[in-house]
Amino acid sequence: MTQTPEWWRTAVIYQIYPRSFRDLSGDGYGDLPGVIDRLDYLRDLGVDAVWLSPFYRSPMADAGYDVADYRAVDPMFGETADAHRLIEEAHARGLKVIFDLVPNHTSDEHAWFQAALAAKPGSPERDRYMFRDGKGADGELPPNNWTSVFGGPAWTRLTGADGTPEQWYLHLFDVKQPDLNWDSPVVRSEFEDILRHWLDAGVDGFRIDVAHGLVKAEGLPDVDHDTLMLSSDSGPQWDQDGVHEIYRSWHRVLADYDGDRALVAEAWVHSDRLPLYVRRDEMHQAFNFDFLTCPWDADAYRDVITSSLEANDAVGAPTTWVLSNHDVLRHRSRLGREDTGNRFGIGPDDEQPDHELGLARATAATLMMLALPGSAYVYQGEELGLPDHTTLPHEYRQDPTWERSDHEQVGRDGCRVPLPWTADAPGLGFSPTGETWLPQPESYRDLAADQQVDDPDSVWSLYHAALAERRARGLGAGSLEWIEGYGDGVVAFRNGDVVCIANISGPEIHLPDDASVLLCTGPRDGVLTANRTVWLAQQ
Ligand code: GLC
């Protein structure tokens, strides 16, 4: 099978959440030297690329998705030179590198927002953000009824130096994440410059945070119902047609560079709107959240796989597959609960997952995912079979969602717990001092990397073997052909010379005696019970 020259069409991309990956400084927060220290581990695992969540200078109101300086590394993560060294070291191991770009908002501690606060209403400094006068006789009411994704109102009112109330500013996320004004040419040219800055440093692509949020509907109309960013329910804050011109201009910026640089959209939009983001002159791929949120149901998987492939094929984009990331309940935990399509984090007061069932389904889902054509994402720790920390005591919570939702949503800390590297070391080897910014659950000890890499029956070894077969057999560049006849509850397809059978919820399947099993979850006994997947080599 011929590989296409564009690496991102078929790549398996490993998401690193730097504060929880590996800490070398000993402060309990992961850092870029820690990432560099484990690049060999990632090369050995067999991924093609890494995507790093933000490590830029930030007051960390949203774990770094509140950026104060887009060109500097936060001291928590090391020095700016470490980002450059990371690119070089990754390239030296044949790994591509994707950075995270956060263009919808900055931190309130960004120099631009500080200047806007010091400037007057109507000034060029204020024009870079979404400042508005309030409604009501004295402007005491917010300009509209939008709410923040993290809970509470999306507007905060300023107070002047003399204590008088002033204009309001928009923040679709935390109060410390003011939204930028993408009608401003100054904002547009600054972000093109930031792209060039890191492209010059050799980065291979960018994951674009909240890609569907940058442009708001003209006049900022009220919403007539509650809209959640992380649902397909859109409103005047999201998915406006005006965003596409921005991505066309960024496409042109990337096209000036060699080496197939790529843009990846984080856009929580209706599936029929997602292809618009990956048209030939826009971004290169978009996360497939319909796959991530698909419940444990064979018909639902078949539908989402079919519609995703059709939609992306129509615009010539690769389909991506993803099961976990830093914003959702890890798939081992999600698939072990009653409501398998519910991605929201859970706490000690919620129904707890069945961890063994979750693990069986998680590995079965992963093996199904890695047999699909296109590009796939792996979130750090899923190769160890990590669950969420679903009983994290509330006092440790740092995700702003917890406070802003009045403790209704526990938020995303449970999927962000520091990785276990060494079972018998303090802090499970995350940090040389044993410090970890969130406590690790007891179950992480047996799942530590050092317990798994040499064990042929471990989850790590399953990922390793699947990635190697996927690469050797060119599955990323292949195409899918459904296989019928296995009955209800089963997803079966052929990709190249591999037949993948995922028994989601059907009766047990007896594999033919001469079946050549390449890989499987659960025992290799010729029987495929529910919650298991097998890859067979085509005879
Ligand atoms: C994206 C990020 C999330 C962050 C939000 C605001 O959804 O993945 O972690 O909180 O954007 O930047």
Side-chain angles (χ1 to χ4, degrees):
M1 192 151 310
T2 43
Q3 293 283 336
T4 63
E6 294 155 323
W7 63 273
W8 43 266
R9 289 189 176 272
T10 58
V12 176
I13 301 168
Y14 184 98
Q15 180 188 357
I16 295 175
Y17 193 67
R19 66 162 48 202
S20 302
F21 185 70
R22 166 111 173 113
D23 171 26
L24 277 198
S25 73
D27 65 355
Y29 291 91
D31 44 41
L32 297 188
V35 173
I36 294 168
D37 184 57
R38 286 295 187 265
L39 286 173
D40 285 347
Y41 167 88
L42 297 176
R43 181 203 47 209
D44 294 349
L45 179 62
V47 298
D48 302 299
V50 292
W51 147 39
L52 290 103
S53 281
F55 47 72
Y56 313 108
R57 199 162 69 70
S58 165
M60 306 289 165
D62 184 21
Y65 280 94
D66 48 321
V67 180
D69 182 346
Y70 291 84
R71 297 174 183 82
V73 169
D74 192 88
M76 174 191 278
F77 295 119
E79 295 172 5
T80 302
D82 292 328
H84 295 266
R85 195 157 62 86
L86 189 148
I87 297 172
E88 276 167 32
E89 296 274 357
H91 285 169
R93 290 164 178 81
L95 296 168
K96 304 281 187 191
V97 181
I98 294 176
F99 283 179
D100 211 314
L101 185 73
V102 187
N104 181 67
H105 43 264
T106 68
S107 161
D108 65 336
E109 297 182 29
H110 190 284
W112 274 9
F113 195 72
Q114 290 301 311
L117 293 181
K120 292 197 166 46
S123 59
E125 289 81 0
R126 290 237 169 146
D127 188 50
R128 296 166 186 157
Y129 291 91
M130 304 290 286
F131 284 93
R132 293 289 185 279
D133 293 331
K135 286 185 177 162
D138 297 312
E140 73 281 10
L141 299 172
N144 70 21
N145 69 354
W146 295 0
T147 52
S148 152
V149 171
F150 296 153
W155 294 92
T156 291
R157 194 172 193 186
L158 301 178
T159 311
D162 60 356
T164 45
E166 239 239 57
Q167 283 195 302
W168 298 71
Y169 70 89
L170 177 69
H171 52 88
L172 291 180
F173 295 87
D174 191 65
V175 60
K176 285 179 71 64
Q177 292 168 297
D179 278 54
L180 285 161
N181 170 21
W182 276 90
D183 286 336
S184 157
V186 183
V187 170
R188 291 195 183 221
S189 71
E190 170 67 357
F191 273 85
E192 291 191 11
D193 201 64
I194 295 166
L195 289 173
R196 286 200 188 88
H197 176 83
W198 290 115
L199 289 165
D200 288 339
V203 79
D204 300 288
F206 299 90
R207 176 261 189 193
I208 307 302
D209 190 63
V210 197
H212 58 312
L214 278 51
V215 173
K216 281 76 180 173
E218 189 68 43
L220 311 183
D222 276 354
V223 295
D224 50 14
H225 56 294
D226 259 358
T227 51
L228 278 173
M229 173 188 90
L230 310 182
S231 81
S232 55
D233 199 6
S234 67
Q237 317 94 310
W238 309 118
D239 194 27
Q240 300 298 308
D241 287 335
V243 295
H244 296 291
E245 183 43 41
I246 300 169
Y247 303 133
R248 281 192 279 271
S249 74
W250 292 4
H251 184 104
R252 291 192 291 272
V253 171
L254 267 68
D256 283 345
Y257 289 80
D258 60 1
D260 297 325
R261 318 284 177 116
L263 296 168
V264 185
E266 186 223 14
W268 294 83
V269 299
H270 273 292
S271 49
D272 56 339
R273 301 271 305 172
L274 199 57
L276 299 176
Y277 289 77
V278 288
R279 287 175 286 188
R280 287 189 189 275
D281 58 350
E282 294 199 27
M283 301 221 220
H284 303 83
Q285 1 172 294
F287 291 108
N288 185 351
F289 293 126
D290 285 350
F291 185 70
L292 185 150
T293 52
C294 186
W296 192 248
D297 177 278
D299 289 341
Y301 274 120
R302 264 194 302 269
D303 285 352
V304 70
I305 292 168
T306 303
S307 59
S308 307
L309 289 168
E310 279 174 8
N312 286 293
D313 285 353
V315 290
T319 302
T320 68
W321 312 102
V322 59
L323 289 162
S324 283
N325 67 32
H326 67 294
D327 289 329
V328 301
L329 189 63
R330 285 178 175 276
H331 66 289
R332 173 170 181 184
S333 300
R334 194 169 70 235
L335 298 176
R337 300 183 79 218
E338 196 69 42
D339 186 0
T340 48
N342 187 347
R343 62 172 188 273
F344 292 104
I346 56 173
D349 312 325
D350 296 306
E351 170 220 331
Q352 292 296 304
D354 175 331
H355 286 295
E356 288 319 307
L357 178 64
L359 182 61
R361 287 179 175 171
T363 48
T366 296
L367 207 54
M368 174 169 72
M369 170 175 94
L370 291 177
L372 291 166
S375 172
Y377 282 81
V378 170
Y379 176 49
Q380 66 177 39
E382 67 170 84
E383 79 280 14
L384 303 175
L386 296 188
D388 250 50
H389 194 333
T390 56
T391 54
L392 181 71
H394 293 321
E395 70 255 31
Y396 291 106
R397 300 203 181 283
Q398 294 202 15
D399 181 356
T401 310
W402 170 242
E403 289 303 335
R404 287 194 63 89
S405 70
D406 283 334
H407 300 181
E408 253 183 49
Q409 292 280 340
V410 297
R412 303 161 293 177
D413 293 306
C415 63
R416 299 174 174 180
V417 172
L419 292 191
W421 291 101
T422 316
D424 64 4
L428 304 179
F430 171 67
S431 147
T433 56
E435 292 285 315
T436 60
W437 70 277
L438 286 175
Q440 297 152 314
E442 194 44 47
S443 63
Y444 277 27
R445 182 172 305 279
D446 291 344
L447 298 172
D450 74 328
Q451 303 297 296
Q452 298 207 36
V453 286
D454 296 324
D455 172 1
D457 295 326
S458 67
V459 178
W460 191 91
S461 294
L462 180 74
Y463 271 72
H464 179 252
L467 292 170
E469 289 288 358
R470 179 184 167 87
R471 181 177 290 180
R473 293 168 189 270
L475 301 185
S479 58
L480 174 141
E481 190 190 322
W482 290 115
I483 301 174
E484 307 297 338
Y486 283 103
D488 287 347
V490 178
V491 176
F493 58 88
R494 181 176 293 110
N495 178 1
D497 60 5
V498 172
V499 168
C500 173
I501 310 168
N503 187 350
I504 303 293
S505 59
E508 61 182 31
I509 297 167
H510 291 267
L511 301 174
D513 288 343
D514 60 349
S516 149
V517 174
L518 285 173
L519 287 172
C520 71
T521 65
R524 271 181 189 248
D525 54 5
V527 181
L528 191 69
T529 50
N531 306 312
R532 289 198 187 141
T533 296
V534 65
W535 287 10
L536 304 177
Q538 176 100 350
Q539 307 285 320

